[in-house]
Every structure is written in structure tokens, then in C-alpha cells.
Amino acid sequence: MSDFLYLYRGGVMGSSPEQIQQTMQKWMAWFKQLSEKGHVTHPGHPLEKGGKVVKGSQKTVTDGPFAESKDIVGGYTLVQARDLDQAVELSKGCPIFEGEGVVEVRPIMQMNM
Amino acid sequence: MEPSDHLFRREAGRMVATLTRIFGVHNLALAEDVVQDAFCRALEVWKFRGVPENPSAWLMATAKNRALDVLRRERTARTFAPELGRLLESEWTVVPAVQELFGASAIKDDQLRMMFSCCHPRLPEEAQVALVLHILCGLSVSEVAGAFVSAHAAMEKRISRAKKVLAGSKKLFDVADAGDFAARLPAVHRALYLLFSEGYHGASPESAVRADLCREAMRLAALLREHPLASTPATHALSALMCLHAARLPARLDSSGDLRSLFDQDRSQWDAHLIAEGQTLLDLSASGSDLTEYHLEAAIAWVHATAPRAEDTNWAAIVSLYDKLLAMRPSPVVALNRAIAVAQSEGPRRGLEEVRAIAGSDRLATYPFYHAALGEFELRSGQPENARKYFLAASALARNPTERRFLEQRIAACKAATPQQVA
């Protein structure tokens, strides 16, 4: 088994309370299924939208990141899968796609050489 | 843990009501933003961590913290609720003040305050109902439009106009003023009645949507009953009428999803618990000297609810209750219902006469069940050919597939019936 990181970007969740609740229930169902099959190493955390960006040799600090909302990283999860193909397959159940969001699937580099 | 059904929708009304109390009615939009923000946070956290032990408390606590952020950040840029005076201005008092405003009994009063504020006399009745559904029941504009089978754009206009009137009213309704309270209460009753009726008789093809409207009306009526000033005989009568009607909801559609008229519903499916509750509420309504239309409608529903079979119904009692109701609130729909009761007790020919005598029956011309009632009487008088014409007219006016299917079955019944010679 190898480790992967899911990075969630963008995705709208609907505007009415009922729609938000339905979005949440879909996420919970997907996540439960992933966990029960032993793929979730760490559920990860949601991230606040804004923060600070520190940049360059001058270590300039600015507010941000002010990326377009569809590109903003909203959270992450650590998963285990046989290989990249399976990690990609598993991500396809994520409800983020219904809101036009993105899941970035990134293999975590193996440290034991 | 799974969140309960409609948790967010239910909490939305409570949260907006309380936040509007704190921010002031002119900042209604700000209150809505804070609620939206709290829901987004809940979504982000709960989707991976699961729903907390007490999700309502979690949401309220989040709204409270956001409210404090907003109060601190915008203290100089905005004015907040004038009723709360300077409490929100100083860091010494803002935390305890907000703490108290988020207390359980305060939240209950806030919902009542919002309910009364939505029934502002400057708003037409249908706008009041739309506003109650949108603000207090947490339905989005498109959900409200769906429930009323109205175009989204038209509903959006109606709701945003109504919000402007509400936001421009400077202050939320003062629920502590007994005089104002009593004066506004009938409008609140009427709005809840219309909300319930839309669920019960409305045109929305989805019975789940309609049952939701009935449930919301009942929830808000229960809130009224908890308040000493609102717990009047009329409030009890209105609640009784809702319970006694809602009791019949499970039998309105049969197992194949077809509409069943009151006459051929499986009465064993009526909700005995709701009938008992309706009866208790009806007893409670029988005090004081005010006889309202809700009393009469509840009494009619009670006569139906207590008849084991349709043929056991005390139709004479129902006709006399309709007579009183017509005297109080003349309406062609009430007159039509009265005519149906007359037909039951005195025969279909009398029913036909009564329908033809209805004043203002032209207003019923687009109501499918007006034509259907005429068809029913003709069919029972042995005139299937006439009946068929009426049912055809009714089916052309059907507002949703369920109604259409029901009326098509009546048309088929006319074809199967053999005409009788008129003596």
C-alpha cells in the first residue's frame, strides 16, 4: 500500500440550508465508505479561506492567498491505496465534483530508501 | 452520527431570528450571511469529523462567535439593534449581552418576534407567507417558488420586496406589548393558515414538499402556543385544525401513488395520535367568546375524523358548520365544500342545485375540483355523459400529474357507467 494526499480545491456547496445539508450528507457517506475500507490514514483538516503569504528572500508578508475561489485549497485528506490508479479511482466518489470542484491526487514520496 | 432531517433548515430560522435581534432588522442581510457562514463551517468540519453530539448547539455557538466578530469589527461602521442600546458598544458588556441573547428562552422569543415582524401590515398576505417560509423555515427562494409552483424570478422579486419592507420597518415587532400583540395575532394566524393550506391543498406535484409545509406551519403554531400572549382560543383552534387535517395526509395517496378522495380513503391509515391531539386542542379552543373561522374548520375536520366510515359522517352537522363559516367568511370554495356536504346528506341533485347557486362561481372556473364536483354529482345522478364533460374540463385544469391521473380515472368511470332514464 502507498500513501497519497487528496487536496480539495474549489467546489460550490449550494446556497440553501437544505442544499448545504445534502452536500454534507454526501461527503459523509463517501468518507465513511473510504474509512470502512481502510483507505483513510488521516481525515485531514479543512482550511480557513484566508491567511498570510510569506514570499521571497525579503520574506514579504501579505494577506492571502487571494486565488480565485475555484483554485483555493479547502482541505486535505491522507489516504492509502494500492497505487496511483486506485487512489484516483477512489477519489471519483468525492461529491466535490458535483460542485465543479477539483481533487488533486498526489503520491507521498517514500522516505525509506 | 447522522444529522437529522432538515437540521440546517430548521436551525436557519432560529439563527437568523436571533442574529437579526442582535444586529437590528435593517441588518437582516448581514444576519443571513452569518448563518450561511456558520453552515459552511459546519459542512467543512462535519464532513470529515462527523456530526457533533449536539449539532444545534454547535451551530448556535458558531453563529454566536461570528456575531461577536462582526460586532467588534463593524462597531464603528454600522449601527446595530437600537433596542439593545449601548450594550453592544463596549467590550465590557458585549460578551455577556450576546451570551444572554443566545439563551434558550431568548431564542424562542426571537422566532416569535420574527414571525410577527414578517406579518407586517404593509405586506400582502402571500408575501408574508413567502417571507415566513424563507426566513423562519429556511427555504431558499427557489424552494419557496417550487412550493408555490411560481416562477423563480417572480418569487425572488416578491421576497426581496418583502425583505425591503421588513428591513425598513426600523424595529422588530415588540412581543412584550400586549396591545400590539393582540392586534397583530390574527395576521399571524392567517399566514400560518395559508402556509398549512398551501401544503394541504396546494398545486406542488411533490407530496413530500407539501407535507413539509404542513409540518412547518404546525411547528410555528406550536411556538405560538408556548407564549402566554399567543396561546389564545383561536391559536388552539388553528392548531386543532392543522392536526385534524394532517392526520389524513397518510391516506391521501394510495400505495400506487394515486390521489384518494375523502370518501374512499383507507381510514385506518389516519394518524390516531394527531386526531387525539387535535381533539385536545379543540377542547382547549372552546373558551372565551370568540368563535373564529378556525374553530369552525376544526370542528368540520373533527366530524370527519371521528366517522369510522365515510357513510357514517354526520353530514347535517357539517352542512350547518359550513353555513356558519359562510356567514363569517363568504367564499366560493367554502360554498363548494358546503354543496358537497349537502349532496352527501340530501342527494346529488340537491348538490347540483347548490353548486349552481354559488355566488361568484366564476372565480371557481379555473379550480379543477369545481368541475370535478359537478361531474361527481352528474355521475351519481345517472348522467355519465354530462359527468364526463365536467371531468374533461377538470382534467384540463389539473395542476399536477397526480390530480390529472385522478381525474382521468373519473373519466374512465363515466365511460363504464350506464346512463339512467330521468324520471
Side-chain angles (χ1 to χ4, degrees):
Chain A
M1 291 296 250
S2 309
D3 292 319
F4 299 87
L5 178 74
Y6 286 170
L7 270 181
Y8 307 108
R9 288 185 195 272
V12 289
M13 59 194 76
S15 57
S16 79
E18 196 66 16
Q19 285 168 339
I20 297 177
Q21 182 165 345
Q22 276 166 13
T23 304
M24 184 179 73
Q25 277 162 331
K26 285 181 196 156
W27 274 88
M28 287 172 69
W30 172 64
F31 208 68
K32 191 170 163 229
Q33 191 201 345
L34 272 191
S35 316
E36 281 171 358
K37 290 187 183 152
H39 290 294
V40 178
T41 332
H42 192 285
H45 290 98
L47 302 175
E48 296 280 0
K49 294 240 157 24
K52 296 281 184 186
V53 177
V54 188
K55 204 155 125 190
S57 55
Q58 300 298 311
K59 293 158 195 157
T60 331
V61 180
T62 51
D63 288 340
F66 290 123
E68 276 193 64
S69 64
K70 68 174 175 46
D71 298 325
I72 286 189
V73 176
Y76 66 90
T77 302
L78 284 169
V79 297
Q80 269 197 335
R82 218 167 35 241
D83 49 26
L84 184 57
D85 284 347
Q86 194 196 18
V88 166
E89 239 1 84
L90 291 170
S91 77
K92 287 184 179 168
C94 179
I96 200 169
F97 302 116
E98 291 173 29
E100 301 297 315
V102 171
V103 179
E104 217 173 282
V105 186
R106 304 283 296 270
I108 291 174
M109 245 185 234
Q110 297 299 321
M111 295 305 192
N112 46 341
M113 291 292 140
Chain B
M1 191 182 142
E2 282 283 309
S4 59
D5 279 356
H6 309 311
L7 167 77
F8 280 22
R9 213 173 70 185
R10 219 177 45 231
E11 294 304 321
R14 284 157 33 96
M15 291 159 75
V16 171
T18 295
L19 289 163
T20 307
R21 161 90 168 132
I22 295 173
F23 295 157
V25 70
H26 56 291
N27 285 317
L28 175 64
L30 178 65
E32 291 181 313
D33 286 348
V34 169
V35 172
Q36 177 78 8
D37 186 68
F39 285 157
C40 291
R41 286 180 168 271
L43 167 65
E44 292 303 335
V45 177
W46 299 0
K47 69 186 182 190
F48 296 135
R49 305 278 152 167
V51 177
E53 192 80 354
N54 185 343
S56 306
W58 194 102
L59 285 169
M60 268 298 177
T62 306
K64 182 168 72 183
N65 291 333
R66 304 304 283 172
L68 278 168
D69 285 349
V70 169
L71 289 171
R72 287 179 178 133
R73 200 176 56 223
E74 307 207 9
R75 198 139 47 196
T76 47
R78 287 185 194 252
T79 52
F80 294 106
E83 306 92 300
L84 300 177
R86 312 190 67 93
L87 280 178
L88 302 179
E89 283 173 25
S90 124
E91 194 53 41
W92 292 104
T93 47
V94 68
V95 175
V98 168
Q99 204 69 268
E100 195 181 317
L101 289 161
F102 272 90
S105 71
I107 290 172
K108 232 173 230 172
D109 272 2
D110 290 335
Q111 291 180 86
L112 219 55
R113 203 173 271 121
M114 184 57 93
M115 209 189 306
F116 277 66
S117 301
C118 287
C119 297
H120 196 282
R122 271 189 54 208
L123 291 174
E125 276 175 352
E126 62 272 29
Q128 296 175 6
V129 179
L131 209 51
V132 166
L133 270 178
H134 180 58
I135 296 183
L136 272 172
C137 307
L139 267 66
S140 68
V141 172
S142 44
E143 286 160 359
V144 179
F148 285 89
V149 201
S150 123
H152 178 90
M155 189 52 78
E156 188 152 49
K157 213 183 258 173
R158 179 185 290 177
I159 290 181
S160 74
R161 253 192 226 136
K163 275 188 186 169
K164 248 181 227 151
V165 171
L166 182 63
S169 63
K170 300 233 167 49
K171 252 172 52 165
L172 281 171
F173 185 85
D174 180 4
V175 285
D177 185 318
D180 286 353
F181 198 98
R184 182 75 61 95
L185 188 57
V188 173
H189 285 153
R190 180 83 186 145
L192 296 190
Y193 174 82
L194 292 174
L195 174 55
F196 184 87
S197 299
E198 191 55 42
Y200 201 76
H201 301 288
S204 170
E206 284 177 63
S207 56
V209 171
R210 310 232 321 254
D212 272 357
L213 298 190
C214 292
R215 248 195 308 276
E216 284 300 313
M218 291 168 81
R219 178 177 73 85
L220 296 174
L223 262 175
L224 280 184
R225 294 201 302 275
E226 286 180 32
H227 192 278
L229 286 174
S231 177
T232 63
T235 299
H236 286 118
L238 176 64
S239 306
L241 124 78
M242 289 179 182
C243 286
L244 292 167
H245 276 95
R248 306 208 299 253
L249 278 176
R252 285 228 310 194
L253 296 180
D254 64 17
S255 51
S256 44
D258 284 341
L259 196 61
R260 287 299 188 122
S261 80
L262 178 58
F263 304 108
D264 52 15
Q265 286 177 5
D266 172 5
R267 296 187 175 210
S268 68
Q269 285 183 31
W270 287 1
D271 187 326
H273 179 76
L274 278 174
I275 292 176
E277 196 180 333
Q279 162 111 53
T280 309
L281 288 161
L282 194 58
D283 290 345
L284 284 169
S285 77
S287 69
S289 56
D290 268 2
L291 182 70
T292 64
E293 51 195 278
Y294 311 119
H295 284 93
L296 293 168
E297 284 202 41
I300 292 167
W302 183 79
V303 176
H304 285 305
T306 47
R309 296 172 307 166
E311 52 269 40
D312 301 326
T313 312
N314 184 350
W315 292 106
I318 288 185
V319 172
S320 111
L321 287 164
Y322 272 126
D323 285 336
K324 292 199 183 83
L325 188 56
L326 267 180
M328 196 178 287
R329 175 162 56 93
S331 127
V333 175
V334 175
L336 178 65
N337 287 329
R338 182 186 169 277
I340 293 169
V342 170
Q344 287 304 121
S345 72
E346 300 172 37
R349 301 224 152 263
R350 285 278 300 117
L352 280 170
E353 283 168 33
E354 292 289 341
V355 174
R356 290 191 180 118
I358 292 176
S361 61
D362 49 320
R363 278 168 56 205
L364 290 172
T366 56
Y367 182 52
F369 290 99
Y370 167 66
H371 303 278
L374 286 167
E376 210 61 60
F377 300 155
E378 290 284 6
L379 183 61
R380 285 193 223 159
S381 325
Q383 303 298 319
E385 203 30 57
N386 292 347
R388 200 171 147 262
K389 283 181 202 143
Y390 284 121
F391 282 126
L392 279 170
S395 124
L397 293 166
R399 298 166 299 176
N400 57 53
T402 319
E403 287 182 359
R404 195 163 304 119
R405 226 166 32 243
F406 173 77
L407 293 162
E408 276 160 6
Q409 283 164 7
R410 300 313 293 152
I411 295 168
C414 296
K415 281 189 189 143
T418 43
Q420 284 168 22
Q421 289 298 315
V422 184

